[in-house]
Amino acid sequence: MDKATRTQFSLAFFAIGFSMIVIQDLKKIESIPLGITQYFPVMFYLGLIFMVIGYYLR
């Protein structure tokens, strides 16, 4: 994989992972249905994994 593509994948994985972690702050909003909030822990750990992949590809 060339350096430019690797950098783009790194930035994409890191941005997606960071956004999944930031979504955890939506728990405080009462208007979000309970069906969505049950996936927040999964999204948190998936976000951590994506951030690690993004950092590794750096």
Side-chain angles (χ1 to χ4, degrees):
M1 184 180 325
D2 64 336
K3 182 135 177 95
T5 306
R6 191 173 177 169
T7 302
Q8 289 176 349
F9 275 123
S10 171
L11 290 174
F13 272 112
F14 194 82
I16 291 169
F18 186 75
S19 65
M20 287 180 143
I21 290 176
V22 170
I23 286 176
Q24 301 302 311
D25 289 333
L26 295 176
K27 284 184 191 178
K28 300 171 187 159
I29 301 173
E30 288 87 20
S31 63
I32 294 181
L34 289 175
I36 296 172
T37 58
Q38 67 183 357
Y39 298 111
F40 280 170
V42 174
M43 288 177 15
F44 176 75
Y45 290 115
L46 194 59
L48 284 178
I49 291 170
F50 276 18
M51 286 182 73
V52 168
I53 291 172
Y55 183 76
Y56 176 74
L57 288 175
R58 177 183 62 96

